[in-house]
Amino acid sequence: MNETSLKVLSILEEADGSISGETISSQLGVSRSAVWKHIRELRDWGYVISASRQEGYRLDAATGRLLPYEIRKLLKTRFIGRDIRYYKSTASTTWVAKDLCSRGDPASLNGTVIVAEEQTGGIGRLGRAWVSPSGGIWFTIILTPDIPIDHLFMITMAGSIAVARAIRKEYDIGALIKWPNDIYIGDKKVSGLLLELSAEADTVHYCLLGIGIDANIDPTHLPSEFANTITSISAETGSEIDRRTLLARVLREFEQRYLLLESEEYESILREWKSLSLTLDHRVHVRTLRKSVEGEAIDIDDHGALLIRKDNGRVERVISGDCSHT
């Protein structure tokens, strides 16, 4: 968004009611016709602004889009989301993040958030397509962690906790974490996470944490194969939610847990993840690339693997796979 347009927006937000174009032009040192052009740009970005010859301009409603300006107003973070790159539509926010890291110094991008109104090529776990229509929250966080490589998996755990906690705190909905990286409300998925690494040997160049949240999506409009397995927050609450507020909350909650990881407070993350687990103490069926394991999910170990007690009494450790409750 044009910098002068942001200044016009700030003036409108601070005004007690309407404010004349002449006053705005005087404050900014631009012509009244220039003010009008900036008003039109703000309207194009989704801001509802009324205008009259007698009273001037009045901001009636903020945009519902996930614009950086709107998110930053709600953030109270040290570094997560201080730089936000916005796209109305992109194939994948993770692809954008990879491109940024390939063209610059990843360390300078630490905490940068790539957010899109929709993704046309979203990818989930195991390379599956992730339906990412307008109305959801689709974003990727670029990280250059000061975390031992054998504990990087806990970044996904911190992200899962952040999403579940944000939904619980904002909407009083009992969101839980389904191993390994999904957020559920009841028996339906509402969010998914995916962590990608760029590393050589023991050197990690950067991590990309991709998160998708079905916020204001009508599940009945999704492809038929998802009709009975996916829900949205708006479907659960019965009304459209403020996506800006939720995204800002998720970023705040994530930073809190991420800083704990960088301080080697691993046990506190494990405890909180377990307290929010939908999977532990349930009978599960986990399908990996090589085999299937069925039994009771009794714990996760210090490396995030699921411990399953099979019917023969033996405990099997599963690092990753598709988990279903039976």
Side-chain angles (χ1 to χ4, degrees), residues 8-64:
V8 172
L9 176 59
S10 180
I11 291 172
L12 291 173
E13 288 178 327
E14 294 173 1
D16 185 14
S18 298
I19 184 170
S20 69
E22 183 177 0
T23 300
I24 297 174
S25 65
S26 176
Q27 289 187 26
L28 297 179
V30 299
S31 67
R32 292 181 65 179
S33 61
V35 171
W36 171 240
K37 290 180 181 178
H38 293 302
I39 293 292
R40 284 193 302 177
E41 182 184 2
L42 292 171
R43 285 172 171 169
D44 289 341
W45 282 109
Y47 293 92
V48 180
I49 301 172
S50 58
S52 71
R53 291 182 180 275
Q54 293 76 24
E55 298 182 354
Y57 301 109
R58 184 180 69 246
L59 179 63
D60 295 321
T63 181

Side-chain angles (χ1 to χ4, degrees), residues 82-146:
R82 307 314 296 180
D83 182 5
I84 301 176
R85 314 288 179 94
Y86 171 86
Y87 292 81
K88 185 175 180 181
S89 178
T90 188
S92 164
T93 57
T94 295
W95 294 355
V96 173
K98 286 181 181 178
D99 182 60
L100 285 174
C101 290
S102 69
R103 292 188 289 108
D105 177 14
S108 68
L109 296 167
N110 189 34
T112 296
V113 175
I114 316 299
V115 62
E117 298 290 346
E118 68 170 1
Q119 293 182 129
T120 57
I123 302 296
R125 195 159 47 86
L126 302 179
R128 297 191 185 96
W130 176 254
V131 180
S132 314
S134 178
I137 303 175
W138 322 113
F139 64 105
T140 296
I141 307 173
I142 300 174
L143 300 163
T144 53
D146 182 18

Side-chain angles (χ1 to χ4, degrees), residues 222-266:
L222 295 175
S224 57
E225 61 265 32
F226 301 116
N228 297 318
T229 60
I230 289 179
T231 188
S232 67
I233 299 174
S234 60
E236 297 295 326
T237 61
S239 61
E240 187 171 296
I241 68 160
D242 187 332
R243 296 180 304 143
R244 302 163 303 170
T245 300
L246 178 57
L247 175 54
R249 168 73 80 168
V250 170
L251 296 178
R252 294 198 304 271
E253 297 284 343
F254 173 70
E255 184 180 85
Q256 291 174 20
R257 277 79 184 180
Y258 183 80
L259 292 174
L260 287 175
L261 291 179
E262 292 203 318
S263 299
E264 301 184 6
E265 298 288 340
Y266 309 131

Side-chain angles (χ1 to χ4, degrees), residues 5 8 48 50 64 89 93 108 156 176 190 197 247 268 282 290 304:
S5 295
V8 172
V48 180
S50 58
S89 178
T93 57
S108 68
T156 308
L176 293 171
V190 74
L197 309 180
L247 175 54
S268 64
H282 284 81
R290 300 170 61 181

Side-chain angles (χ1 to χ4, degrees), residues 195-216:
L195 183 69
E196 295 191 28
L197 309 180
S198 173
E200 295 178 20
D202 291 334
T203 302
V204 177
H205 301 303
Y206 60 83
C207 298
L208 304 177
L209 179 62
I211 301 178
I213 304 173
D214 294 320
N216 293 325

